[in-house]
Amino acid sequence: MTTRTDEDLELELRSLPGVLSVSITYGDRDDVEVVTLLVIGAELDSTRSEAHLILSLYYDDATLVIEEANDAIIQMSRDHSRVAIVDAQLDHATGTAQVQLQYNGRTGLGHSASGPLIGGADATLAALRDLGIEVPFSLLSVNSVSLMNRWPVIVTLRSTRSDSDRMGIALGEGELLSSVKSTLNALNRFLATPVRPA
Amino acid sequence: MVKVELIEPVDLVLHSSESWLFRSIIDELSRDELGISFIYRVLDRLGDKYGLSDAVVTVAQESCGTQAFRLGNRSLNGELLSRIGHSPGLYCEPSIVPEDEREAVRMACQLALSTHLARFRAERDWLTSISNRRSFDAALKVAAARSARYGWAFTLVVIDLNEFKRINDRAGHEVGDDVLRQFGLALRRSIRSGDTAARIGGDEFAVILNNAEGSEASGFIERLRAQTKSNQEVVEFTTGTAVSPRDSTDPKELLRIADARLYEKRGIALT
């Protein structure tokens, strides 16, 4: 049972540099037995001694456990959770775009016979869904615009749950890649949230 | 009750499907209890609702940085963190919570953490984390009222650091702040559970020793001296005490008496 005192203990520990998570384990008599901290990117020794001191102010007998999630793990998590473009091809004869994406070590494939622009965006959404990611957006528009002698692509997606639109803009090698990148750009914030594929 | 203002306003958009969340927030706010335990209760509720085996909500808070809370107050490890990342959001196992509800839960948890932090800061001194003047005044008022009504005794101890200005002038404000921080910690280690320690001015501190009629004060002062001796910068201090109801049951009068006794000691020490 978390008391107001324990809440304050947890808040004080969470205020220490690098502390990302605090877990309090209670004993049989509802006394605080173990406090576990997950710490990242901090001066561990200083955080450890401060945490010990704070814990002793509240509970002298409790054990402090500090787990370190170093930056390498965080970087790995970032890399793994990022959707990467593996391949984007256009069959000029049929106008079919084929997009291959990777996420968390898995590969997803999407096709669309609507040319490099619309087809690129459509195939990207299909590839994301093939990865098992629920994408609650539909394609609203794809436009290639002139910008300083270049032709970036703007993709607009509409949420299937509300009227909100998301826009992305990107410039890649060719219309197809620009369209794929722009679609992912539009979904950037959505994909950055810690949602795992179903 | 201390009134708090939110430090970081949160745009809270709740849909009818999350009305349980809205009702919970209002309920906790009205009882001045919106805080970290609310986050765990929300995760529990969500876990029950969707039959989740695991859930982690991650919120970003300016002064605490990113903070993650796991269903059942279970500990989070690097391996799990590497799978879910640490962007703000809600991770669920299985991933069946609708996006709108996930976002609403994240915002509610952000609100709870911000509110708790605001309440904590409203009650505590920013440098030492002991009570600030405002909450000390409130605690003294309550103790004095109980003492007047039921005759419950308590001792008020006021403490002044000696030569603190010289430390600040000689070593700089950073060292001075550190001295105050260390002294605050020494106070927290010296009081008993249920006592109140506060920083009531620049280098002035005060302690309410509940159920203490004077003799306990000397024990407390001995413990404090022993604690401060282990500090990096050893500081001397002078104390003055007043006992309620013997001296008075009026908070202002008790403070005046304790202050007068402190200055009297200082005067003797100076001559």
Side-chain angles (χ1 to χ4, degrees):
Chain A
M1 179 69 195
T2 307
T3 63
R4 189 132 173 187
T5 308
D6 297 343
E7 276 196 310
D8 284 350
L9 165 66
E10 185 167 338
L11 191 74
E12 279 206 71
L13 292 171
R14 285 183 181 274
S15 301
L16 292 176
V19 174
L20 183 81
S21 176
V22 174
S23 164
I24 299 177
T25 309
Y26 293 89
D28 294 337
R29 283 173 294 174
D30 273 351
D31 46 339
V32 171
E33 227 167 41
V34 182
V35 175
T36 309
L37 307 186
L38 180 67
V39 181
I40 56 168
E43 288 177 25
L44 200 64
D45 286 344
S46 134
T47 300
R48 188 191 301 275
S49 63
E50 287 230 24
H52 265 295
L53 200 60
I54 289 171
L55 182 58
S56 73
L57 292 171
Y58 287 84
Y59 299 102
D60 237 351
D61 299 332
T63 307
L64 180 72
V65 177
I66 295 193
E67 292 207 23
E68 190 182 2
N70 62 34
D71 288 342
I73 289 174
I74 301 304
Q75 190 55 45
M76 186 176 76
S77 99
R78 281 185 186 146
D79 290 343
H80 277 205
S81 59
R82 186 181 299 149
V83 174
I85 302 167
V86 177
D87 190 30
Q89 299 284 340
L90 181 71
D91 182 337
H92 290 276
T94 60
T96 301
Q98 177 181 294
V99 175
Q100 196 176 359
L101 302 175
Q102 198 172 54
Y103 180 81
N104 263 358
R106 297 169 61 183
T107 303
L109 195 64
H111 297 91
S112 170
S114 305
L117 290 174
I118 293 174
D122 253 345
T124 304
L125 293 175
L128 286 169
R129 288 179 181 126
D130 191 41
L131 280 167
I133 299 172
E134 187 195 4
V135 187
F137 295 94
S138 60
L139 188 60
L140 194 66
S141 68
V142 184
N143 295 295
S144 181
V145 293
S146 171
L147 188 75
M148 308 281 285
N149 292 328
R150 293 173 175 218
W151 292 87
V153 170
I154 296 175
V155 169
T156 308
L157 303 173
R158 172 148 293 182
S159 169
T160 53
R161 293 174 183 158
S162 64
D163 284 340
S164 63
D165 294 340
R166 296 196 185 207
M167 295 180 81
I169 183 166
L171 182 67
E173 281 182 34
E175 288 181 323
L176 175 63
L177 206 53
S178 296
S179 177
V180 173
K181 284 184 170 180
S182 180
T183 308
L184 291 175
N185 181 243
L187 292 170
N188 201 27
R189 265 188 62 198
F190 169 75
L191 292 172
T193 55
V195 181
R196 293 180 64 209
Chain B
M1 187 182 289
V2 178
K3 200 171 167 62
V4 297
E5 287 176 18
L6 288 180
I7 295 167
E8 291 169 26
V10 178
D11 294 328
L12 197 62
V13 183
L14 295 170
H15 302 277
S16 55
S17 59
E18 292 97 40
S19 57
W20 64 273
L21 204 52
F22 182 69
R23 280 197 301 272
S24 305
I25 290 171
I26 297 297
D27 185 40
E28 303 249 341
L29 270 175
S30 66
R31 287 185 283 128
D32 191 29
E33 282 181 4
L34 193 65
I36 282 178
S37 54
F38 174 79
I39 297 174
Y40 293 116
R41 283 198 292 278
V42 165
L43 288 176
D44 280 348
R45 177 92 188 254
L46 203 69
D48 289 345
K49 187 175 171 187
Y50 290 99
L52 304 176
S53 61
D54 203 356
V56 178
V57 66
T58 310
V59 297
Q61 218 288 337
E62 200 181 318
S63 54
C64 293
T66 300
Q67 292 297 324
F69 300 83
R70 193 174 183 188
L71 179 68
N73 196 349
R74 280 145 63 190
S75 63
L76 194 65
N77 55 34
E79 191 272 329
L80 178 60
L81 187 68
S82 70
R83 279 194 283 136
I84 65 175
H86 63 317
S87 306
L90 178 71
Y91 155 84
C92 297
E93 189 64 55
S95 181
I96 51 173
V97 181
E99 193 197 348
D100 288 351
E101 193 160 354
R102 279 205 306 263
E103 186 59 7
V105 165
R106 185 194 64 76
M107 286 192 291
C109 293
Q110 170 109 40
L111 178 73
L113 182 62
S114 295
T115 307
H116 192 166
L117 203 63
R119 191 175 61 221
F120 191 82
R121 285 177 177 168
E123 293 169 353
R124 307 283 187 113
D125 170 54
W126 65 276
L127 189 63
T128 58
S129 289
I130 57 178
S131 298
N132 60 18
R133 178 68 194 240
R134 188 163 55 170
S135 47
F136 168 77
D137 284 346
L140 182 60
K141 210 169 157 184
V142 169
R146 281 179 180 157
S147 185
R149 185 161 185 180
Y150 305 112
W152 294 351
F154 73 92
T155 301
L156 170 68
V157 185
V158 290
I159 306 161
D160 226 6
L161 301 190
N162 301 345
E163 309 283 332
F164 180 70
K165 188 175 179 306
R166 197 170 287 178
I167 294 171
N168 254 348
D169 292 345
R170 192 189 68 216
H173 287 282
E174 212 168 298
V175 174
D177 282 355
D178 205 42
V179 165
L180 294 173
R181 246 193 309 268
Q182 297 285 333
F183 195 78
L185 277 172
L187 270 178
R188 288 177 77 176
R189 294 179 81 89
S190 307
I191 57 173
R192 305 160 305 171
S193 164
D195 294 339
T196 303
R199 182 173 168 226
I200 57 171
D203 60 341
E204 291 169 49
F205 297 84
V207 173
I208 298 168
L209 299 170
N210 285 311
N211 302 316
E213 283 187 84
S215 56
E216 290 88 346
S218 50
F220 157 73
I221 292 165
E222 284 311 307
R223 288 197 297 277
L224 183 60
R225 281 201 202 287
Q227 286 291 338
T228 53
K229 280 203 172 105
S230 59
N231 287 354
Q232 281 181 332
E233 184 95 24
V234 180
V235 284
E236 294 294 324
F237 57 87
T238 309
T239 60
T241 58
V243 180
S244 180
R246 196 176 64 207
D247 290 325
S248 174
T249 52
D250 177 60
K252 282 183 184 165
E253 182 61 9
L254 284 165
L255 260 177
R256 193 198 62 74
I257 293 168
D259 267 341
R261 288 174 181 162
L262 184 151
Y263 289 126
E264 197 180 303
K265 274 192 200 171
R266 233 181 206 174
I268 292 165
L270 288 171
T271 51

Coordinates of all heavy atoms in Angstrom, one line a residue, chain A residues 3 13 17 54:
Chain A
T3 N 1.7 4.9 0.8 CA 1.2 5.9 1.7 C 1.8 7.3 1.1 O 2.6 7.3 0.2 CB 1.8 5.8 3.1 OG1 3.2 5.9 3.0 CG2 1.4 4.4 3.7
L13 N 13.3 10.5 -4.8 CA 14.2 9.6 -5.6 C 14.1 9.9 -7.1 O 15.1 9.9 -7.8 CB 13.9 8.1 -5.3 CG 14.2 7.7 -3.9 CD1 13.7 6.3 -3.6 CD2 15.7 7.7 -3.6
P17 N 19.3 13.0 -10.4 CA 19.7 12.9 -11.8 C 19.7 11.5 -12.3 O 20.3 10.6 -11.7 CB 21.1 13.5 -11.7 CG 21.2 14.3 -10.4 CD 20.2 13.6 -9.5
I54 N 18.7 9.5 1.0 CA 17.3 9.9 1.1 C 16.5 8.7 1.6 O 15.6 8.8 2.5 CB 16.8 10.3 -0.3 CG1 17.4 11.6 -0.7 CG2 15.3 10.3 -0.4 CD1 17.2 12.0 -2.1

